[in-house]
Amino acid sequence: MSRALLSIACHEYAVAGILYLAFLVRQWKPLAVTARILIGSGLAVHAVALGSALAGQGGMPVGLSQGLSTVAFLLLAIFFALDLRYRAPVMGAFITPLAVAILIPALLLGSGSTPVPGSLRRPLLPVHISIALLGMAAFAVAAGVALMYLLLERQMKGKHFGVLFSRLPSLKLLDDLNRWLVLWGFVALSITLVTGALFSSATEGVFWHWDAREIATLVAWLIFAALLNARFFAGWRGKRVALLTMAGFCVMLVSFLTSYDPVRHLGVFR
Amino acid sequence: MSELLCLGVSHKTAPLEVRERLAAMPEKQAELLRLAANSVAEAMVVSTCNRVEFYASHGSPEQARSALRSVIASVGGPSFADHLYEHLGDAALIHLFRVAASLDSMVVGEPQILGQVKDALEVAQKAGAARGELARACAAAFASAKRVRSETGIGRAAVSMASAAVELATKIFGSLKGKTVLLVGAGEMGELAGKHLLNSGAGQIAVANRTPERARELAGTVGGVTTEFAEIHSRLIWADLVICSTASPVPLFTKDGVAAVVKARRFRPLFMVDLAVPRDIAPEVNELEGVYAYDVDDIQRVVSDNAGARLAEAAKAEVIVAEEVARFVRARSVRDGTPVLAMLRARAEQIARGELERTLSYLGEGLSEKQRRSVQAMAMAIINKLLHEPTARLRELEAEEDRRRLAGAAAELFGLDPGAPPRAEGAGPEQQAASASAPGGKR
């Protein structure tokens, strides 16, 4: 049943994404309003689907399919909140397609998840996974916002104002959102690293394996740590921060996908 | 009989780089004028940030044309010929009227141009280069410009340059609330921009000007502070927005100069608007991180995007200008002793007005205000174009006898009575008086 619900949510998101893209070209308000409603109801259906799937697993997403589904959900939830707060429906044109792209493999992979072995059932695991996915979602939105920043910055510098110009929010707002999202993404990422290490030491006796997943996560952590440091202490902002955010997000993607490497990582996510 | 000739470059024909080379300082303007005045009867040089135009009045347009061209080539180099436009006779007159009324401006309706043309005339008069026909044409153009300003809403468009700057600033800063503004140069355009920014919520404004008195004056009107002209670079650290409008012949802000403060500003975005020609901000400044430098041409690109609303007002203004040109031409005909022409024009206008009234009342509600004005403008334009040739031919005739013969023929042909004063609606008192005192019965 949860799969059918997920499919409904995915379709709603897809239609919303098309509406947002149409809104980008023809700024007709009802398009954005309809898309917003679709996202809202899609999130509700998606929440039910996720909830029913996770309920039987001790409240944590298991397997790549559920991981992707959760990231897509959190991503859109963050966007939905931002849109309600700042009324920036243009962001929808960037973020909704991304969420759909994440959700489609989740649907295709199916929900054939293996139950978590009893030896790994620790209260720390759901926390670890949920926060990791939340951080991933925050960085995904930050990357979308960074892309919008770079597009607008390009037009401001080049002085050739395309269709997007009047639709995009100000550079200031985009930079502020980036700061906020990267900061909270970084907090989530830090917690993920710590809980992961604790969990690992509890189950395997070592904190750190130096595997691809851990290295990628550490590199991402270092990138975002450097970024935040430069932002708060050297006053970095704007374009270079946007570029760094996108670079960090790419490394995060590697980290995310290698977390579901069936050979390694405890087999939990297989 | 002398004909008016206009030769020039403007934002419509030449890029900023070309205009920059010809933009004349006041002292250079006098020099240009002296050069031009040597070979033509009357001359005037209008030089603003968007145009450099030579007006000349001379018996032989060919001679005047080659004289002016050689003057322009001596200042701007031979490549200028590609960008020059030329108007002769009534076309030059119409151009002068449109320029003065700010209809040919980059920002249609901007208020400075009238003062700039007035200044140009004053310079020419002081130099003894504008005595007769040219001065009269200017006076009429000024009157028409004033009418345009008071009878249409075109003046409101003037703020569009400033509002374009505000729009861009909003795109960068989100809100202008609390943003600091540095005005470099206390010219009218800077003042306009400053006031507009203030209305949009800008925080503190600092004014720097070469003459501190003027800086204090402007700081007083916008409620800002003054700052030493020598300190504009250190002021950059403080400012979020910079509006430049000085007459400096070289850029005040170079890439290196601004780069030096980028770090000290902690990469805060800096929006620099250059309303001056020649430019106050070197174009390379725009390459710096977080610095957005816009010159007049860039701003214009934004302005033209939302120009639609102004077209209706501009159409009204075109009608007024057409009427005023017609009135001037009528008065000139009377001065030239060819009342037949004045009457011909008055008759044509009378007919046009009658037909317009009929047509417009027949079409009634079906037409928008803009369309009404366009129809009116078209009618006036037809008259001007149709009568241009006979007018020019009559006036070209040197011999009094020939002129009288032709005028007589025209009067006969159109059934005019040169003894009676022309009956034109809205004919000015000057013209009425002139025609009344004109010797009648030339037939």
Side-chain angles (χ1 to χ4, degrees):
Chain A
M1 182 196 76
S2 79
R3 183 133 190 253
L5 288 177
L6 195 62
S7 171
I8 292 171
C10 186
H11 281 89
E12 287 194 70
Y13 297 152
V15 174
I18 291 166
L19 291 179
Y20 276 130
L21 285 169
F23 179 73
L24 206 60
V25 184
R26 282 197 78 84
Q27 202 140 33
W28 190 48
K29 258 221 162 104
L31 289 174
V33 174
T34 315
R36 189 178 296 137
I37 293 168
L38 279 171
I39 295 280
S41 76
L43 281 171
V45 174
H46 198 163
V48 173
L50 270 179
S52 71
L54 301 192
Q57 298 161 189
M60 63 178 151
V62 175
L64 181 56
S65 166
Q66 288 184 5
L68 289 170
S69 169
T70 311
V71 167
F73 176 79
L74 292 170
L75 187 87
L76 285 170
I78 293 173
F79 158 66
F80 191 66
L82 289 178
D83 187 30
L84 287 183
R85 169 75 180 78
Y86 296 106
R87 294 281 157 197
V90 180
M91 282 169 62
F94 292 79
I95 287 164
T96 317
L98 179 64
V100 174
I102 293 173
L103 207 50
I104 286 173
L107 268 172
L108 295 178
L109 282 171
S111 53
S113 61
T114 44
V116 181
S119 63
L120 296 176
R121 282 188 182 269
R122 310 258 167 135
L124 211 48
L125 192 56
V127 176
H128 172 71
I129 295 176
S130 312
I131 291 186
L133 295 176
L134 184 64
M136 183 64 203
F139 286 130
V141 179
V145 167
L147 180 65
M148 287 161 73
Y149 186 98
L150 292 175
L151 284 174
L152 182 57
E153 148 97 15
R154 212 181 130 95
Q155 299 203 347
M156 290 296 299
K157 282 277 190 191
K159 296 153 188 179
H160 287 284
F161 307 113
V163 212
L164 277 180
F165 182 72
S166 56
R167 272 78 157 163
L168 288 168
S170 68
L171 289 175
K172 164 92 162 57
L173 175 63
L174 292 170
D175 195 46
D176 283 352
L177 286 178
N178 176 293
R179 186 178 57 210
W180 191 85
L181 289 162
V182 168
L183 181 63
W184 288 107
F186 181 73
V187 169
L189 184 57
S190 305
I191 295 175
T192 308
L193 276 172
V194 171
T195 52
L198 288 177
F199 182 76
S200 170
S201 93
T203 55
E204 297 178 52
V206 280
F207 284 106
W208 198 255
H209 298 91
W210 289 112
D211 61 9
R213 177 185 60 94
E214 285 173 356
I215 293 170
T217 315
L218 186 65
V219 169
W221 188 88
L222 287 172
I223 289 177
F224 287 115
L227 188 164
L228 286 170
N229 202 56
R231 190 191 258 288
F232 290 114
F233 297 106
W236 281 28
R237 66 182 81 213
K239 191 180 174 185
R240 46 174 88 190
V241 164
L243 286 170
L244 264 180
T245 305
M246 296 189 72
F249 174 68
C250 290
V251 180
M252 275 302 287
L253 268 183
V254 175
S255 155
F256 175 78
L257 293 173
T258 51
S259 292
Y260 295 98
D261 177 354
V263 182
R264 260 235 44 85
H265 201 51
L266 310 176
V268 177
F269 306 106
R270 199 172 296 162
Chain B
M1 277 293 105
S2 61
E3 281 243 62
L4 193 61
L5 172 72
C6 167
L7 227 68
V9 294
S10 77
H11 59 102
K12 291 196 171 151
T13 60
L16 190 52
E17 285 78 5
V18 173
R19 283 165 3 231
E20 243 168 12
R21 264 186 290 149
L22 204 66
M25 309 278 107
E27 57 272 23
K28 213 167 153 199
Q29 201 172 333
E31 171 71 13
L32 286 177
L33 198 61
R34 206 175 46 72
L35 283 170
N38 281 343
S39 35
V40 293
E42 290 186 280
M44 175 173 85
V45 184
V46 177
S47 165
T48 76
C49 42
N50 297 319
R51 70 181 66 246
V52 180
E53 289 180 333
F54 293 75
Y55 289 89
S57 161
H58 196 60
S60 152
E62 285 72 31
Q63 202 182 327
R65 181 183 299 136
S66 63
L68 287 189
R69 274 187 186 269
S70 70
V71 169
I72 292 168
S74 73
V75 185
S79 64
F80 257 91
D82 306 339
H83 302 288
L84 278 179
Y85 50 78
E86 192 181 302
H87 301 291
L88 183 62
D90 282 359
L93 197 63
I94 291 169
H95 183 73
L96 172 64
F97 274 57
R98 293 188 75 247
V99 167
S102 194
L103 283 171
D104 197 56
S105 296
M106 192 159 96
V107 180
V108 170
E110 55 95 4
Q112 287 105 296
I113 185 68
L114 181 56
Q116 284 160 336
V117 181
K118 278 182 177 169
D119 290 346
L121 178 65
E122 202 183 304
V123 171
Q125 280 176 325
K126 271 194 188 139
R131 294 169 299 265
E133 197 56 30
L134 188 57
R136 274 196 293 273
C138 283
F142 299 159
S144 118
K146 277 187 195 134
R147 236 193 101 194
V148 164
R149 194 144 291 279
S150 63
E151 292 178 25
T152 72
I154 202 164
R156 284 194 293 277
V159 291
S160 63
M161 188 91 130
S163 46
V166 169
E167 190 189 327
L168 285 167
T170 315
K171 214 68 194 169
I172 296 170
F173 298 112
S175 142
L176 293 185
K177 207 160 185 292
K179 295 293 164 215
T180 45
V181 182
L182 175 63
L183 290 181
V184 182
E188 275 181 70
M189 207 64 215
E191 179 173 347
L192 193 65
K195 283 182 176 159
H196 215 75
L197 288 168
L198 205 64
N199 286 340
S200 314
Q204 218 184 356
I205 295 187
V207 186
N209 197 43
R210 282 242 160 76
T211 49
E213 295 77 35
R214 177 76 190 112
R216 268 196 291 280
E217 207 177 298
L218 178 54
T221 46
V222 298
V225 296
T226 59
T227 188
E228 290 290 320
F229 197 80
E231 283 169 12
I232 50 174
H233 276 88
S234 54
R235 267 290 188 179
L236 273 190
I237 299 172
W238 165 87
D240 295 312
L241 288 97
V242 180
I243 313 270
C244 293
S245 55
T246 77
S248 166
V250 291
L252 300 172
F253 295 108
T254 59
K255 190 179 178 188
D256 291 343
V258 180
V261 299
V262 165
K263 229 179 185 161
R265 309 181 77 261
R266 290 175 62 85
F267 304 100
R268 259 163 45 234
L270 176 63
F271 182 39
M272 304 181 82
V273 183
D274 190 350
L275 300 172
V277 174
R279 280 178 276 210
D280 283 349
I281 302 168
E284 301 80 42
V285 169
N286 191 47
E287 294 162 15
L288 293 168
E289 187 179 336
V291 181
Y292 306 89
Y294 279 69
D295 62 32
V296 268
D297 276 7
D298 301 328
I299 296 279
Q300 171 61 11
R301 216 168 289 150
V302 184
V303 171
S304 58
D305 285 350
N306 43 27
R310 289 199 304 277
L311 289 177
E313 293 304 311
K316 274 191 216 170
E318 295 283 2
V319 174
I320 293 175
V321 165
E323 284 174 3
E324 291 292 324
V325 168
R327 182 197 291 206
F328 177 76
V329 170
R330 225 159 40 216
R332 185 180 62 189
S333 310
V334 173
R335 275 199 305 277
D336 292 348
T338 44
V340 163
L341 282 175
M343 279 185 290
L344 191 53
R345 189 167 281 277
R347 169 71 55 88
E349 274 177 30
Q350 206 176 12
I351 293 168
R353 269 172 211 285
E355 291 302 312
L356 268 174
E357 212 164 290
R358 250 169 34 134
T359 310
L360 290 178
S361 70
Y362 164 66
L363 290 171
E365 305 296 296
L367 284 184
S368 72
E369 180 69 5
K370 187 176 145 196
Q371 287 169 323
R372 284 178 105 76
R373 295 292 179 176
S374 304
V375 172
Q376 287 173 359
M378 186 192 72
M380 291 301 166
I382 291 175
I383 294 174
N384 284 338
K385 290 242 162 78
L386 200 62
L387 292 185
H388 171 69
E389 199 61 30
T391 311
R393 277 172 191 251
L394 259 175
R395 297 174 75 231
E396 267 163 20
L397 292 174
E398 292 291 335
E400 178 71 19
E401 190 160 335
D402 286 349
R403 195 154 68 216
R404 211 176 291 174
R405 186 174 49 75
L406 210 56
E412 193 82 51
L413 210 52
F414 289 99
L416 303 165
D417 176 14
R423 294 165 299 151
E425 271 177 62
E430 176 207 1
Q431 189 241 313
Q432 295 281 21
S435 55
S437 62
K442 275 211 166 177
R443 209 189 300 218

PDB file of all heavy atoms in Angstrom, chain B residues 23-36:
ATOM      1  N   ALA B  23      32.078  63.923 -26.189  1.00  0.00           N
ATOM      2  CA  ALA B  23      31.439  64.678 -25.116  1.00  0.00           C
ATOM      3  C   ALA B  23      32.301  65.887 -24.768  1.00  0.00           C
ATOM      4  O   ALA B  23      33.437  65.758 -24.348  1.00  0.00           O
ATOM      5  CB  ALA B  23      31.249  63.789 -23.897  1.00  0.00           C
ATOM      6  N   ALA B  24      31.734  67.038 -24.985  1.00  0.00           N
ATOM      7  CA  ALA B  24      32.542  68.251 -24.858  1.00  0.00           C
ATOM      8  C   ALA B  24      32.380  68.887 -23.493  1.00  0.00           C
ATOM      9  O   ALA B  24      31.284  69.041 -22.986  1.00  0.00           O
ATOM     10  CB  ALA B  24      32.161  69.225 -25.952  1.00  0.00           C
ATOM     11  N   MET B  25      33.475  69.229 -22.902  1.00  0.00           N
ATOM     12  CA  MET B  25      33.462  70.049 -21.688  1.00  0.00           C
ATOM     13  C   MET B  25      33.020  71.457 -22.102  1.00  0.00           C
ATOM     14  O   MET B  25      33.131  71.812 -23.269  1.00  0.00           O
ATOM     15  CB  MET B  25      34.866  70.147 -21.106  1.00  0.00           C
ATOM     16  CG  MET B  25      35.556  68.828 -20.917  1.00  0.00           C
ATOM     17  SD  MET B  25      35.020  68.079 -19.395  1.00  0.00           S
ATOM     18  CE  MET B  25      33.986  66.778 -20.062  1.00  0.00           C
ATOM     19  N   PRO B  26      32.534  72.263 -21.154  1.00  0.00           N
ATOM     20  CA  PRO B  26      32.083  73.607 -21.525  1.00  0.00           C
ATOM     21  C   PRO B  26      33.131  74.400 -22.311  1.00  0.00           C
ATOM     22  O   PRO B  26      32.815  75.023 -23.327  1.00  0.00           O
ATOM     23  CB  PRO B  26      31.801  74.252 -20.176  1.00  0.00           C
ATOM     24  CG  PRO B  26      31.479  73.123 -19.282  1.00  0.00           C
ATOM     25  CD  PRO B  26      32.269  71.951 -19.771  1.00  0.00           C
ATOM     26  N   GLU B  27      34.383  74.312 -21.862  1.00  0.00           N
ATOM     27  CA  GLU B  27      35.405  75.117 -22.549  1.00  0.00           C
ATOM     28  C   GLU B  27      35.636  74.595 -23.968  1.00  0.00           C
ATOM     29  O   GLU B  27      35.801  75.348 -24.917  1.00  0.00           O
ATOM     30  CB  GLU B  27      36.712  75.160 -21.742  1.00  0.00           C
ATOM     31  CG  GLU B  27      37.341  73.831 -21.423  1.00  0.00           C
ATOM     32  CD  GLU B  27      36.826  73.216 -20.121  1.00  0.00           C
ATOM     33  OE1 GLU B  27      35.707  73.539 -19.657  1.00  0.00           O
ATOM     34  OE2 GLU B  27      37.548  72.392 -19.568  1.00  0.00           O
ATOM     35  N   LYS B  28      35.549  73.235 -24.082  1.00  0.00           N
ATOM     36  CA  LYS B  28      35.735  72.620 -25.385  1.00  0.00           C
ATOM     37  C   LYS B  28      34.553  72.978 -26.294  1.00  0.00           C
ATOM     38  O   LYS B  28      34.690  73.123 -27.501  1.00  0.00           O
ATOM     39  CB  LYS B  28      35.808  71.106 -25.199  1.00  0.00           C
ATOM     40  CG  LYS B  28      36.711  70.405 -26.173  1.00  0.00           C
ATOM     41  CD  LYS B  28      36.932  68.995 -25.678  1.00  0.00           C
ATOM     42  CE  LYS B  28      37.240  68.061 -26.809  1.00  0.00           C
ATOM     43  NZ  LYS B  28      37.017  66.666 -26.412  1.00  0.00           N
ATOM     44  N   GLN B  29      33.392  73.100 -25.655  1.00  0.00           N
ATOM     45  CA  GLN B  29      32.182  73.429 -26.388  1.00  0.00           C
ATOM     46  C   GLN B  29      32.339  74.786 -27.074  1.00  0.00           C
ATOM     47  O   GLN B  29      31.974  74.949 -28.239  1.00  0.00           O
ATOM     48  CB  GLN B  29      31.015  73.460 -25.402  1.00  0.00           C
ATOM     49  CG  GLN B  29      29.666  73.299 -26.028  1.00  0.00           C
ATOM     50  CD  GLN B  29      28.592  73.157 -24.949  1.00  0.00           C
ATOM     51  OE1 GLN B  29      28.866  72.705 -23.836  1.00  0.00           O
ATOM     52  NE2 GLN B  29      27.401  73.562 -25.253  1.00  0.00           N
ATOM     53  N   ALA B  30      32.891  75.742 -26.341  1.00  0.00           N
ATOM     54  CA  ALA B  30      33.101  77.073 -26.914  1.00  0.00           C
ATOM     55  C   ALA B  30      34.065  76.995 -28.100  1.00  0.00           C
ATOM     56  O   ALA B  30      33.870  77.668 -29.120  1.00  0.00           O
ATOM     57  CB  ALA B  30      33.649  78.018 -25.844  1.00  0.00           C
ATOM     58  N   GLU B  31      35.055  76.137 -27.938  1.00  0.00           N
ATOM     59  CA  GLU B  31      36.038  75.958 -28.997  1.00  0.00           C
ATOM     60  C   GLU B  31      35.383  75.361 -30.256  1.00  0.00           C
ATOM     61  O   GLU B  31      35.577  75.845 -31.368  1.00  0.00           O
ATOM     62  CB  GLU B  31      37.145  75.023 -28.463  1.00  0.00           C
ATOM     63  CG  GLU B  31      38.156  74.540 -29.483  1.00  0.00           C
ATOM     64  CD  GLU B  31      39.092  75.650 -29.924  1.00  0.00           C
ATOM     65  OE1 GLU B  31      39.112  76.699 -29.263  1.00  0.00           O
ATOM     66  OE2 GLU B  31      39.770  75.454 -30.952  1.00  0.00           O
ATOM     67  N   LEU B  32      34.569  74.328 -30.021  1.00  0.00           N
ATOM     68  CA  LEU B  32      33.842  73.707 -31.131  1.00  0.00           C
ATOM     69  C   LEU B  32      32.974  74.736 -31.843  1.00  0.00           C
ATOM     70  O   LEU B  32      32.889  74.786 -33.064  1.00  0.00           O
ATOM     71  CB  LEU B  32      32.941  72.588 -30.613  1.00  0.00           C
ATOM     72  CG  LEU B  32      33.605  71.291 -30.196  1.00  0.00           C
ATOM     73  CD1 LEU B  32      32.557  70.333 -29.639  1.00  0.00           C
ATOM     74  CD2 LEU B  32      34.296  70.657 -31.386  1.00  0.00           C
ATOM     75  N   LEU B  33      32.335  75.528 -31.010  1.00  0.00           N
ATOM     76  CA  LEU B  33      31.425  76.548 -31.511  1.00  0.00           C
ATOM     77  C   LEU B  33      32.171  77.543 -32.384  1.00  0.00           C
ATOM     78  O   LEU B  33      31.711  77.938 -33.453  1.00  0.00           O
ATOM     79  CB  LEU B  33      30.822  77.256 -30.301  1.00  0.00           C
ATOM     80  CG  LEU B  33      29.567  78.045 -30.527  1.00  0.00           C
ATOM     81  CD1 LEU B  33      28.479  77.128 -31.020  1.00  0.00           C
ATOM     82  CD2 LEU B  33      29.151  78.690 -29.217  1.00  0.00           C
ATOM     83  N   ARG B  34      33.359  77.950 -31.911  1.00  0.00           N
ATOM     84  CA  ARG B  34      34.143  78.934 -32.651  1.00  0.00           C
ATOM     85  C   ARG B  34      34.523  78.357 -34.016  1.00  0.00           C
ATOM     86  O   ARG B  34      34.400  79.007 -35.047  1.00  0.00           O
ATOM     87  CB  ARG B  34      35.400  79.278 -31.854  1.00  0.00           C
ATOM     88  CG  ARG B  34      35.980  80.644 -32.132  1.00  0.00           C
ATOM     89  CD  ARG B  34      37.140  80.932 -31.197  1.00  0.00           C
ATOM     90  NE  ARG B  34      38.077  79.812 -31.094  1.00  0.00           N
ATOM     91  CZ  ARG B  34      38.920  79.445 -32.057  1.00  0.00           C
ATOM     92  NH1 ARG B  34      38.958  80.107 -33.188  1.00  0.00           N
ATOM     93  NH2 ARG B  34      39.731  78.418 -31.886  1.00  0.00           N
ATOM     94  N   LEU B  35      34.939  77.084 -33.981  1.00  0.00           N
ATOM     95  CA  LEU B  35      35.296  76.415 -35.237  1.00  0.00           C
ATOM     96  C   LEU B  35      34.119  76.389 -36.200  1.00  0.00           C
ATOM     97  O   LEU B  35      34.251  76.682 -37.385  1.00  0.00           O
ATOM     98  CB  LEU B  35      35.745  74.976 -34.963  1.00  0.00           C
ATOM     99  CG  LEU B  35      37.154  74.789 -34.400  1.00  0.00           C
ATOM    100  CD1 LEU B  35      37.342  73.341 -33.971  1.00  0.00           C
ATOM    101  CD2 LEU B  35      38.191  75.162 -35.444  1.00  0.00           C
ATOM    102  N   ALA B  36      32.957  76.027 -35.655  1.00  0.00           N
ATOM    103  CA  ALA B  36      31.777  75.898 -36.508  1.00  0.00           C
ATOM    104  C   ALA B  36      31.307  77.265 -36.998  1.00  0.00           C
ATOM    105  O   ALA B  36      30.926  77.423 -38.156  1.00  0.00           O
ATOM    106  CB  ALA B  36      30.669  75.190 -35.746  1.00  0.00           C
TER     107      ALA B  36
END
